[in-house]
Amino acid sequence: MLHIQLVPFPQLRTARFILRELQEADAPALLQQRSDARIMQYLDREPDNSVAQTLDLIERIKQSATDKVGITWGIVRPDAAHELLGTIGLWRIIAEHHRAEIGYGLHPDYWQQGIMSEAMVAVLDFGFQKLKLHSVEANVNPKNAASRQLLEKHGFVQEAHFRENYFFQGRFLDSIIYSVLTPAATKAKRTGQVAATKL
């Protein structure tokens, strides 16, 4: 079984951004993100409707890290660390199976700027190199083409398409599951294939 350690909170850096722990001061920006119709159309859940609700979410996110079952970062610029652009995290960490699920959200004002792609590289590297995960999965609304393209860009492969497996607002909805394996596993598989070819 993996030894998951998420406290103290591991801050990550990319070329342009800092991925830091969420703070109470982030609640208004996070509320805006989690209630924006452009984002919510693909999340298939009710939007947040109060700062108090979002503050409760931030507390639950912090508790997840303490409990070693999930971690979520706020994405900010180094010169504006108070301005939350979006979030990305590894949640539903299942230590005995060396697997976690990735989730992310970005305010529409920052779409199409490569922000989430850059953040995903850092988070996947943390998951595979630091936590020693073997695989990471993602659950996506089939209509969310941008999210699917992002996942595929980073090596995720579609594993399943569940038909009408999710009930929301009086409708049964489909879900698509993607996953990516640790680069070490992919390398080992390729090496094995080459060896088999030489035989």
Side-chain angles (χ1 to χ4, degrees), residues 9-189:
F9 191 91
Q11 181 170 285
L12 307 179
R13 283 184 174 268
T14 73
R16 296 183 294 163
F17 307 105
I18 294 174
L19 277 58
R20 61 157 173 78
E21 187 174 18
L22 289 171
Q23 305 164 357
E24 288 186 2
D26 295 320
L30 188 56
L31 171 60
Q32 189 176 21
Q33 175 185 310
R34 291 173 59 85
S35 59
D36 191 295
R38 293 166 291 180
I39 297 174
M40 299 307 299
Q41 66 176 319
Y42 298 123
L43 294 187
D44 304 321
R45 63 165 178 74
E46 296 296 338
D48 286 4
N49 53 36
S50 70
V51 171
Q53 186 177 1
T54 308
L55 283 169
D56 180 65
L57 172 66
I58 291 172
E59 283 304 310
R60 285 187 279 118
I61 287 172
K62 290 182 178 182
Q63 189 61 47
S64 291
T66 301
D67 295 340
K68 305 177 183 181
V69 295
I71 181 168
T72 297
W73 291 267
I75 306 169
V76 299
R77 294 187 177 92
D79 59 350
H82 62 284
E83 182 182 353
L84 185 69
L85 309 180
T87 60
I88 184 168
L90 296 168
W91 67 288
R92 209 164 61 84
I93 296 174
I94 308 174
E96 59 266 37
H97 298 307
H98 299 222
R99 189 172 175 95
E101 183 172 342
I102 195 166
Y104 42 85
L106 190 68
H107 191 281
D109 287 352
Y110 308 112
W111 287 357
Q112 303 299 318
Q113 297 178 33
I115 296 173
M116 194 56 73
S117 185
E118 192 171 321
M120 185 172 287
V121 170
V123 169
L124 289 176
D125 182 69
F126 177 85
F128 290 134
Q129 301 301 322
K130 299 296 185 182
L131 297 185
K132 303 301 180 183
L133 296 174
H134 180 74
S135 61
V136 175
E137 70 178 70
N139 187 320
V140 187
N141 182 313
K143 296 179 181 179
N144 193 344
S147 185
R148 296 178 67 178
Q149 290 171 5
L150 174 67
L151 292 168
E152 290 167 5
K153 176 181 179 180
H154 291 282
F156 283 77
V157 176
Q158 182 175 323
E159 284 190 344
H161 185 145
F162 293 114
R163 298 170 53 197
E164 300 188 359
N165 70 314
Y166 188 78
F167 188 73
F168 178 66
Q169 292 185 337
R171 296 183 300 148
F172 288 99
L173 307 174
D174 289 9
S175 300
I176 290 182
I177 306 300
Y178 279 86
S179 78
V180 63
L181 299 181
T182 171
T186 304
K187 181 179 180 181
K189 183 177 181 180

